């Protein structure tokens, strides 16, 4: 794992879970698998704190454990899963667009808590939705349950591995750590629950003052505590399914952008005649990008999506875009030329690109020094004498994609650090703004007059308000940049993973 990835893991763990969890997590990222006492010794952290930190990391699937033959349990960080925390906002937003607010909150709760039972998720989401509704309206548990079932049916949420029942009934001494198993048939099987009820609002301070004392309330709830109907069946967000959705959408968008005018003339819906459909499929199959391939002619032939070529085209387009932004349009022309011709000598580059020799040489060396293109030596004689050697420029897309991915990780880390710096520099002003907003909200709830609210608002001066606006604008820009860089990371990771599977 590169230093850029380790630094990014550190920033993400600290931002989400605090310093102690970050310390333990980064230690495991650097060292690999280690037992509990070694982790405590090496990090100088108390055994109790290490246990709590590992509990958090295991709960969120950021650390896995393995029992060795001698009964020693070793913990290992899942680095790629830590980096997925960058994508949490995208997972949540995608669910919102597909399954509305209810689906959004279900996935948000699962990401925030790592693992939860379906009944706990339904109650939490119903309560949160009820809070946002008008007085007198509530969210029914059944409606949230239906959305949860839809998410499971489309595999956006899945069951967590569990302890087999035979292990629980074993009369012998318990193992050092439980062995978790998952039956693939049950991975998306939703338990039949009869969750009857509606979301509840949190009681305001006025209601608490008018109602029974706080000390008495817990007794009523604990005495009548009902057994959890789906106890032991935990659920988590299926990140691989989200990635499949992102990949499919990226390919669809690329094809739509390439054939925009053609797709606009398509009829709405799926009522397309066979003749028109054949024309469009032939058009896609004949496209040079080869996103769609055709095999055989029997029955009109079989059309397939060529995922590797599609991802390679997306990764190549990303590299071309970066070259253009970084070095200019003439460098981009040379880059595309070398991509197209596979191998070219410097003289050939000058001739084909129609760029003066000196400029072409400078541009080639710039891209070579930044690892966007590479130089391949082909000697005529065994002594590799420069005068008897061909020097060919080529683009190794896999190598260039890895280099760009590494830079993206560094960029994301810089963006996070900048956002944290901006927030820290304006910490006192942000706290003051939050206090004023809280006072105004409580006064509005009690029916305060407009003049009183205006007086409270004036506690923040005009320069402070301007400073807050600037801060908000800067943080929004940094957040948007993080999301954009992560989209590039996703495309490059998908291409690299797909290519490595083919090797």
């Amino acid at each position: 794992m590169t230093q850029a990835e380790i630094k990014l893991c550190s920033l993400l763990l600290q931002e989400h879970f605090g310093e102690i969890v970050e310390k333990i997590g980064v230690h495991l990222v650097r060292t690999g698998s280690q037992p509990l006492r070694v982790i405590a010794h090496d990090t100088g952290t108390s055994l109790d704190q290490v246990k709590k930190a590992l509990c958090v990391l295991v709960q969120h699937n950021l650390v896995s454990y393995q029992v060795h033959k001698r009964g020693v349990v070793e913990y290992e960080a899942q680095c790629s899963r830590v980096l997925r925390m960058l994508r949490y906002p995208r997972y949540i937003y995608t669910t919102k667009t597909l399954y509305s607010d209810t689906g959004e909150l279900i996935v948000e709760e699962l990401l925030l808590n790592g693992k939860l039972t379906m009944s706990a998720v339904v109650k939490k989401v119903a309560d949160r939705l009820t809070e946002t509704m008008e007085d007198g309206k509530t969210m029914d548990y059944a409606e949230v349950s239906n959305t949860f079932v839809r998410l499971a049916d489309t595999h956006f949420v899945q069951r967590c591995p569990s302890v087999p029942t035979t292990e629980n009934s074993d009369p012998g001494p318990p193992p050092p750590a439980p062995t978790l198993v998952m039956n693939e048939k049950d991975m998306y099987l939703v338990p039949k629950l009869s969750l009857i009820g509606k979301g509840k609002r949190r009681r305001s301070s006025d209601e608490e003052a008018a109602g029974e004392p706080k000390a008495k309330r817990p007794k009523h709830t604990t005495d009548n505590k009902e057994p959890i109907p789906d106890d032991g069946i935990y659920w988590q967000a299926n990140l691989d399914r989200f990635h499949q959705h992102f990949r499919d959408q990226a390919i669809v968008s690329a094809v739509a952008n390439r054939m925009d005018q053609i797709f606009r003339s398509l009829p709405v819906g799926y009522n397309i005649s066979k003749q028109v459909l054949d024309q469009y499929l032939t058009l896609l199959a004949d496209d040079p990008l080869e996103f769609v391939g055709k095999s055989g002619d029997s029955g009109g032939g079989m059309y397939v999506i060529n995922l590797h070529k599609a991802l390679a085209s997306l990764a190549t387009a990303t590299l071309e875009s970066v070259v253009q932004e970084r070095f200019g349009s003439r460098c981009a022309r040379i880059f595309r030329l070398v991509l197209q011709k596979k191998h070219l000598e410097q003289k050939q580059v000058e001739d084909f690109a129609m760029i003066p020799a000196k400029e072409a040489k400078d541009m080639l060396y710039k891209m070579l020094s930044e690892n966007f293109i590479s130089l391949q030596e082909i000697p005529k004689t065994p002594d590799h004498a420069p005068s008897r050697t061909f020097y060919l420029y080529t683009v190794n897309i896999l190598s260039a994609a890895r280099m760009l991915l590494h830079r993206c990780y560094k960029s994301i880390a810089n963006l996070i650090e900048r956002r944290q710096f901006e927030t820290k520099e304006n910490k006192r002003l942000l706290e003051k703004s939050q206090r004023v907003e809280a006072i105004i909200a409580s006064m509005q709830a009690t029916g305060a007059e407009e003049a009183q609210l205006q007086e409270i608002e004036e506690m923040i001066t005009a320069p402070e308000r301007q400073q807050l606006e600037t801060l908000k604008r800067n943080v929004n820009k940094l957040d948007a940049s993080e999301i954009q860089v992560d989209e590039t990371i996703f495309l490059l990771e998908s291409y690299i993973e797909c290519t490595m599977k083919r090797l």
Side-chain angles (χ1 to χ4, degrees):
M1 199 171 197
T2 63
Q3 287 299 315
E5 289 171 286
I6 293 171
K7 183 181 179 182
L8 184 52
C9 285
S10 171
L11 288 166
L12 289 168
L13 287 170
Q14 186 173 19
E15 194 167 49
H16 283 78
F17 305 112
E19 289 183 8
I20 295 173
V21 174
E22 179 263 338
K23 188 178 184 181
I24 303 303
V26 172
H27 175 73
L28 287 174
V29 167
R30 290 182 186 278
T31 58
S33 59
Q34 282 196 332
L36 178 66
R37 294 190 179 278
V38 174
I39 298 169
H41 177 268
D42 289 355
T43 58
T45 311
S46 70
L47 211 57
D48 185 51
Q49 285 185 322
V50 173
K51 286 179 183 178
K52 288 177 181 176
L54 287 172
C55 279
V56 171
L57 292 166
V58 170
Q59 172 74 10
H60 288 267
N61 300 314
L62 305 176
V63 161
S64 61
Y65 60 85
Q66 190 175 358
V67 183
H68 291 275
K69 289 180 181 177
R70 294 183 180 179
V72 177
V73 181
E74 289 197 345
Y75 299 88
E76 184 176 6
Q78 301 299 309
C79 308
S80 60
R81 186 62 181 73
V82 176
L83 294 172
R84 294 295 80 81
M85 288 195 289
L86 271 175
R87 219 159 279 157
Y88 279 7
R90 197 175 174 193
Y91 299 140
I92 293 166
Y93 179 72
T94 300
T95 320
K96 182 183 176 70
T97 57
L98 294 173
Y99 299 98
S100 73
D101 293 346
T102 309
E104 174 196 8
L105 292 182
I106 288 171
V107 169
E108 186 179 324
E109 285 293 340
L110 288 173
L111 291 173
L112 286 173
N113 294 280
K115 303 177 182 75
L116 280 176
T117 60
M118 178 181 170
S119 55
V121 172
V122 168
K123 287 171 184 174
K124 281 173 176 279
V125 170
D127 289 349
R128 286 181 64 182
L129 287 169
T130 301
E131 286 282 344
T132 62
M133 290 179 168
E134 297 174 8
D135 289 341
K137 290 186 179 180
T138 54
M139 174 58 69
D140 201 298
Y141 287 172
E143 194 174 332
V144 181
S145 295
N146 290 338
T147 305
F148 193 100
V149 171
R150 287 168 62 205
L151 283 164
D153 288 343
T154 50
H155 298 183
F156 282 104
V157 298
Q158 64 182 21
R159 282 195 188 190
C160 302
S162 57
V163 180
T165 51
T166 53
E167 192 169 314
N168 289 330
S169 58
D170 190 355
T179 303
L180 303 178
V181 294
M182 170 48 70
N183 187 343
E184 287 192 18
K185 291 188 297 182
D186 300 335
M187 194 174 282
Y188 306 103
L189 181 64
V190 179
K192 292 180 180 177
L193 304 176
S194 55
L195 294 171
I196 300 167
K198 296 180 184 293
K200 298 176 179 65
R201 296 177 191 274
R202 280 178 292 186
R203 294 174 62 138
S204 66
S205 55
D206 294 340
E207 288 173 334
E208 286 177 355
E212 56 189 298
K214 281 186 180 180
K216 288 187 181 178
R217 282 203 309 277
K219 290 185 181 178
H220 297 302
T221 55
T222 51
D223 290 345
N224 302 324
K225 191 173 183 181
E226 296 176 4
I228 301 170
D230 56 344
D231 191 22
I233 303 174
Y234 287 89
W235 293 80
Q236 62 189 357
N238 183 3
L239 305 189
D240 289 339
R241 177 65 181 87
F242 281 99
H243 293 167
Q244 182 188 333
H245 177 77
F246 298 156
R247 181 202 67 198
D248 294 348
Q249 290 302 306
I251 293 171
V252 169
S253 297
V255 173
N257 290 337
R258 186 170 177 80
M259 303 181 173
D260 192 26
Q261 296 298 327
I262 298 164
F263 279 106
R264 281 182 188 173
S265 61
L266 273 171
V268 178
Y270 295 97
N271 299 321
I272 307 170
S273 65
K274 186 179 183 303
Q275 185 182 0
V276 174
L277 182 62
D278 285 342
Q279 289 174 355
Y280 280 109
L281 286 172
T282 304
L283 191 66
L284 286 169
D286 292 342
D287 188 75
L289 290 181
E290 298 181 35
F291 278 24
V292 176
K294 184 182 179 183
S295 59
D297 292 313
S298 58
M302 181 178 284
Y303 292 90
V304 293
I305 303 291
N306 191 328
L307 287 177
H308 181 258
K309 285 192 175 177
L311 291 171
S313 294
L314 292 171
T316 304
T318 302
L319 287 167
E320 286 179 16
S321 174
V322 171
V323 168
Q324 176 139 352
E325 291 296 321
R326 193 171 179 84
F327 305 111
S329 58
R330 301 182 90 183
C331 269
R333 191 199 310 171
I334 292 173
F335 185 79
R336 280 191 290 268
L337 182 65
V338 177
L339 263 175
Q340 185 183 2
K341 301 290 186 182
K342 307 295 184 189
H343 296 87
L344 284 176
E345 288 186 279
Q346 185 173 312
K347 183 71 172 68
Q348 291 175 306
V349 171
E350 296 162 11
D351 294 341
F352 284 129
M354 294 183 289
I355 294 174
K358 187 176 183 300
E359 288 182 35
K361 184 178 178 182
D362 288 345
M363 290 173 186
L364 283 166
Y365 286 172
K366 269 184 194 175
M367 289 189 282
L368 184 65
S369 64
E370 299 275 354
N371 297 320
F372 283 99
I373 61 173
S374 51
L375 194 61
Q376 189 173 344
E377 296 181 9
I378 302 178
K380 295 180 189 175
T381 55
D383 61 354
H384 285 261
S387 59
R388 293 185 292 277
T389 301
F390 292 111
Y391 294 94
L392 303 178
Y393 289 98
T394 185
V395 176
N396 185 331
I397 299 175
L398 183 61
S399 174
R402 282 180 172 147
M403 176 275 298
L404 187 57
L405 180 62
H406 175 72
R407 291 191 173 188
C408 286
Y409 286 137
K410 289 177 75 174
S411 298
I412 286 267
N414 290 341
L415 287 166
I416 292 172
E417 285 186 323
R418 183 67 200 182
R419 174 165 50 77
Q420 289 177 347
F421 172 78
E422 290 278 348
T423 310
K424 189 178 178 181
E425 284 290 294
N426 297 277
K427 185 180 177 182
R428 290 180 66 183
L429 185 56
L430 284 169
E431 288 174 352
K432 181 180 177 181
S433 173
Q434 287 166 359
R435 283 197 304 271
V436 169
E437 285 174 6
I439 292 167
I440 290 171
S442 63
M443 289 178 71
Q444 283 175 336
T446 54
E449 294 178 4
E450 191 64 36
Q452 292 176 306
L453 296 175
Q454 186 70 31
E455 189 178 339
I456 298 298
E457 283 180 2
E458 287 172 359
M459 288 172 64
I460 297 179
T461 62
E464 286 176 334
R465 203 170 294 281
Q466 190 176 356
Q467 194 176 342
L468 280 169
E469 284 297 318
T470 305
L471 173 65
K472 186 179 177 182
R473 190 165 55 250
N474 290 343
V475 169
N476 286 343
K477 277 183 184 177
L478 292 167
D479 286 339
S481 300
E482 279 181 48
I483 293 167
Q484 287 175 341
V485 175
D486 182 59
E487 286 175 7
T488 304
I489 287 174
F490 173 73
L491 283 178
L492 295 172
E493 282 179 341
S494 300
Y495 164 70
I496 291 166
E497 184 183 349
C498 187
T499 306
M500 295 308 293
K501 282 179 182 176
R502 291 167 63 91
L503 295 178

